[in-house]
Amino acid sequence: MLIAPSLLSCDFSVFRDEIIRVDNAGADIMHLDVMDGHFVPNLTFGAPVIKKLRSATKKPFDVHLMISEPHRYIGDFAAAGADIISFHTECDSDIDETLKLIEEKGVKPALAIKPGTAPEVVLPYLDRLYMVLVMTVEPGFGGQSFMPDMMAKVEFLRKEIKARGLSTLIEVDGGIAKDTIATAAKAGVDICVAGTAVFGAPDAKEAIDELRALCE
C-alpha cells in the first residue's frame, strides 16, 4: 500500500516544512488538493504555491483538481511540477480533451469520482488512465468519516482493470485511518490518501508505518 499524506491537513504556516517532515517520515506520494470555491465549497491553493513547494521533495506530486474547469489550468499545474493530475468526471470540462492536455504535458492522467457517481463513468477512459481516485467522503473538507460502501466501486474497478490487463492504480481519499485502511486494502486499493491520520499523529513516521502494517 502506498501512503499519500493529504497536505490539506498540514500546518499551512509551515507548508514547506510539513512536506519535508512527511517525506522524511516515509510518505510515498504528496497529495495536493486544489479547490476553487465553486466545484466544492472551499478554497485552498493554486499552481504558484505548488511550484514554490516542488523543490521540497523528490516524491511525486499528486495534484487533485476539485475545480469546475480543469482544462483551463492543466498547463499551469504541469509547469508547477505535478506528476499526477486528477480531475473530476463531474466537472464542466470535456473529459477527453482534458485528458489529452494532461497527456500532452507528459503528466500522468487520473480521473476522480464523487461518492454519488457510478464507477461506470470512467470505463470509456480506463485504458488511458494512470489512476482512478474514488472519493470516500464528499470532496471539499478534511476530517470526514470514511464511507465503507464506496469499496464496492473499488472492487468493480479492480475487476475491470484486471479483465483488461491494465496497470491502472486505484486511490481512495477520505477518512483513511487505522480503523479503515485495512478495509480499503482488502477491496483492492493501491494508494491511500491520509490527512488527519498522519498530520494529527504525534509521530508521522509511526503513523505511516502503522497504516502500512495494517494492510499486510
Side-chain angles (χ1 to χ4, degrees):
M1 177 67 70
L2 299 177
I3 305 297
S6 174
L7 278 300
L8 184 65
S9 297
C10 82
D11 182 347
F12 281 2
S13 69
V14 285
F15 206 162
R16 185 182 183 85
D17 292 341
E18 289 282 71
I19 290 177
I20 294 169
R21 180 166 72 93
V22 294
D23 185 351
N24 292 334
D28 298 295
I29 297 168
M30 302 296 166
H31 188 84
L32 296 139
D33 288 309
V34 176
M35 307 181 192
D36 64 0
H38 182 261
F39 184 75
V40 291
N42 196 8
L43 285 167
T44 54
F45 45 81
V49 171
I50 291 175
K51 186 175 183 178
K52 291 292 185 181
L53 297 169
R54 180 62 273 190
S55 62
T57 179
K58 293 182 179 179
K59 298 289 176 64
F61 269 17
D62 171 19
V63 178
H64 176 195
L65 301 182
M66 288 178 266
I67 62 179
S68 295
E69 298 181 288
H71 73 283
R72 295 176 57 191
Y73 304 99
I74 298 303
D76 293 336
F77 286 105
D83 297 286
I84 307 162
I85 294 178
S86 60
F87 66 97
H88 277 263
T89 60
E90 307 91 352
C91 73
D92 296 331
S93 297
D94 180 88
I95 294 175
D96 180 65
E97 290 302 315
T98 307
L99 286 174
K100 284 180 181 177
L101 289 173
I102 297 172
E103 292 161 349
E104 287 169 1
K105 295 298 181 180
V107 177
K108 296 172 180 175
L111 282 176
I113 53 174
K114 293 182 180 182
T117 301
E120 287 84 354
V121 73
V122 306
L123 296 186
Y125 314 100
L126 195 58
D127 299 66
R128 300 167 62 185
L129 300 179
Y130 172 74
M131 183 179 78
V132 178
L133 168 54
V134 176
M135 293 299 298
T136 44
V137 297
E138 288 295 338
F141 293 92
Q144 298 181 61
S145 296
F146 178 79
M147 297 179 175
D149 52 329
M150 294 299 105
M151 294 305 96
K153 295 183 184 181
V154 172
E155 291 167 355
F156 171 84
L157 290 167
R158 175 56 61 212
K159 183 177 179 180
E160 186 67 23
I161 290 167
K162 185 177 180 181
R164 297 192 192 187
L166 302 175
S167 57
T168 310
L169 301 178
I170 300 176
E171 180 178 68
V172 293
D173 182 2
I176 292 296
K178 291 186 289 185
D179 59 341
T180 58
I181 194 165
T183 300
K186 185 179 179 181
V189 172
D190 300 293
I191 306 169
C192 277
V193 177
T196 305
V198 172
F199 289 102
D203 186 307
K205 185 179 188 309
E206 286 184 8
I208 291 171
D209 288 347
E210 187 172 5
L211 288 171
R212 278 206 196 92
L214 289 166
C215 298
E216 296 176 355

